[in-house]
Amino acid sequence: MKDRVVIITGGGTGIGRAAAFQFVREGARVMIVGRRAAPLQEVAALSDRILPIPADLFCKIGHRVEAGHDRKAALFLSAAVQRAQRQHRRQRRRQ
């Protein structure tokens, strides 16, 4: 992952936060996206390789990837996975 760009949704907390630090350890530059700016800022303050982007939709950050990086990017959808898991649990409870 050296010098790759990784985009992580839900990067301010939980699995997304942990993934951000793992990708940094592997040499990547990480863009963390989330709805709440404060957790993103807290994570970014711990590494100069992490860029916080407060946003609710991935399309809002696509232009930053294209403008700032000429390499391939990876997208880690932590927020989407967690939301899908919660929905699945609710559906199972209703059955």
Side-chain angles (χ1 to χ4, degrees):
M1 294 304 297
K2 186 171 170 61
D3 295 325
R4 296 282 182 146
V5 176
V6 177
I7 303 164
I8 301 175
T9 62
T13 59
I15 294 170
R17 177 186 168 116
F21 290 120
Q22 181 60 40
F23 284 119
V24 165
R25 282 191 291 275
E26 293 178 18
R29 293 201 166 275
V30 179
M31 302 169 95
I32 54 173
V33 183
R35 292 175 293 167
R36 296 176 297 137
L40 299 174
Q41 294 293 341
E42 290 172 13
V43 173
L46 300 174
S47 173
D48 63 351
R49 297 183 68 82
I50 299 176
L51 173 67
I53 302 173
D56 196 13
L57 300 173
F58 175 73
C59 63
K60 291 184 178 182
I61 62 164
H63 70 280
R64 291 191 187 193
V65 175
E66 292 172 4
H69 305 283
D70 60 352
R71 26 185 118 70
K72 293 180 181 177
L75 177 60
F76 185 94
L77 295 171
S78 174
V81 169
Q82 293 171 15
R83 184 174 296 146
Q85 288 174 341
R86 283 192 301 267
Q87 289 174 341
H88 179 69
R89 279 189 225 121
R90 283 188 210 125
Q91 288 174 349
R92 284 194 333 211
R93 287 182 202 143
R94 291 180 190 152
Q95 295 175 351

